[in-house]
Structure formats: C-alpha cells, structure tokens
Amino acid sequence: DDLPQPEAYTPQAETEAERITIEDPLARVPALLISSIIPPRNHPDSPALALLASILAGGDSSRLAVALEDTGLATQASASASSNRGPGQFNVILVPNPGVDTTDVEAVFISELERIQAEGVEQAELEKAINQIRTGQVLGLQDVMGLAESVQAAHFYYGDASRVFDLVDQYTTIT
C-alpha cells in the first residue's frame, strides 16, 4: 500500500565473528550476549528461527535451561528472534553462576546448536515450541489493545491485517 518498502533482503556472506568485551565495574557477574543477523519477519526462515529460540530457551524444560541452569552452570539462559521489516537479530544471553567462566556456558550453547543441526528436534519438543508461540499469539488477541497491536503488526510486516488470524499456521509446517 502506501507504506515505504525496505530494500529486498539479501543474506550477507558469513564472516568471522566479532568479539567485544565490555568491562562494567558495577556488574556483579559476567554475562555473554551472542547475536546474529537474521532475515526479515516475512522471510520463509523467520518462523523456524522463532521456534529455535523457543526450543533453546522457552521454559524450564528447554535445552539451555536443562544444560545450563539445571546443572548449576548458569543462572540465566535466554534466546529470542527479534525480527523486523528488514534484517533482525537472534539473541542469546547467558549469565554464568559465580566461578563459572563465560567460555564454559558458550561451549554448552554451541554444543546444543550442533546437536540440533546433527539430530534435529523431537516432535514433542517442536510441538511444545509451537504451542508456546500459539499461546503467546492467542493471549495477545484477548484484549482490545492487544488485538489492535496485532492487527497493526500484521499489516505493517505482511501488508495484510487479516494475517493476524493465520500467522500461527506458518509454524505448524516446520519439521
């Protein structure tokens, strides 16, 4: 319609990771933020990335919660896929327990990613992630403000306000 369109998304060639260390004298514990550029929200890979974030860190039985929090390696492990009209970010935040180095929690995170790449995910794990996303979308439609924001977002990101009612379907086709 009359919305300005962003430039077409073109994936960038993989480059060497950049590490930035920030020393904060007020921080009581270290933290690790891992961030990657991801495609826009209307890209076919966007739903899979949202599911990956949920599988990695969605709840007490998620992969990172079990591998890091339940073992005492970390106090926090979160992941999110923040998509936009243009490229977005996939973020992972890991906060190790005192005495645990950030490289240790990073190694566990990388191991979990490699395991997903090699073995995939179990159907029950995928269904749990889909249900988490579905629940969030349904809860977002329960009041007038949530419905208005959801309709506006569907129009803004997909050019069709009615997509608000079928967006959850895009997750159920991922295997």
Side-chain angles (χ1 to χ4, degrees), residues 1 25 40 47 50 59 66 81 85 110 118 130 151 153 157:
D1 297 58
V66 170
R85 291 183 76 199
I110 290 170
I130 292 169
V151 167
Y157 291 113

Side-chain angles (χ1 to χ4, degrees), residues 101-116:
D101 197 87
T102 56
T103 58
D104 296 334
V105 294
E106 181 180 17
V108 171
F109 165 68
I110 290 170
S111 173
E112 286 301 322
L113 278 184
E114 289 171 346
R115 192 164 69 109
I116 289 171

Side-chain angles (χ1 to χ4, degrees), residues 31-111:
L32 180 65
L33 168 64
I34 300 167
S35 186
S36 297
I37 296 172
I38 60 173
R41 185 176 295 197
N42 63 356
H43 189 277
D45 291 340
S46 186
L49 290 163
L51 286 172
L52 176 61
S54 184
I55 288 165
L56 285 170
D60 294 338
S61 63
S62 68
R63 288 185 179 226
L64 293 180
V66 170
L68 292 170
E69 295 173 11
D70 291 356
T71 61
L73 290 173
T75 58
Q76 178 187 349
S78 62
S80 64
S82 301
S83 55
N84 296 296
R85 291 183 76 199
Q89 288 184 304
F90 190 93
N91 296 310
V92 176
I93 299 174
L94 307 172
V95 180
N97 271 317
V100 177
D101 197 87
T102 56
T103 58
D104 296 334
V105 294
E106 181 180 17
V108 171
F109 165 68
I110 290 170
S111 173

Side-chain angles (χ1 to χ4, degrees), residues 118-136:
E119 303 170 10
V121 296
E122 294 180 14
Q123 188 62 33
E125 196 174 25
L126 183 59
E127 288 174 10
K128 175 190 162 206
I130 292 169
N131 287 337
Q132 287 174 328
I133 291 170
R134 178 182 288 126
T135 299

Side-chain angles (χ1 to χ4, degrees), residues 18-35:
E18 178 182 3
R19 283 194 179 265
I20 300 170
T21 301
I22 300 171
E23 299 289 336
D24 183 348
L26 300 177
R28 299 171 81 172
V29 295
L32 180 65
L33 168 64
I34 300 167
S35 186

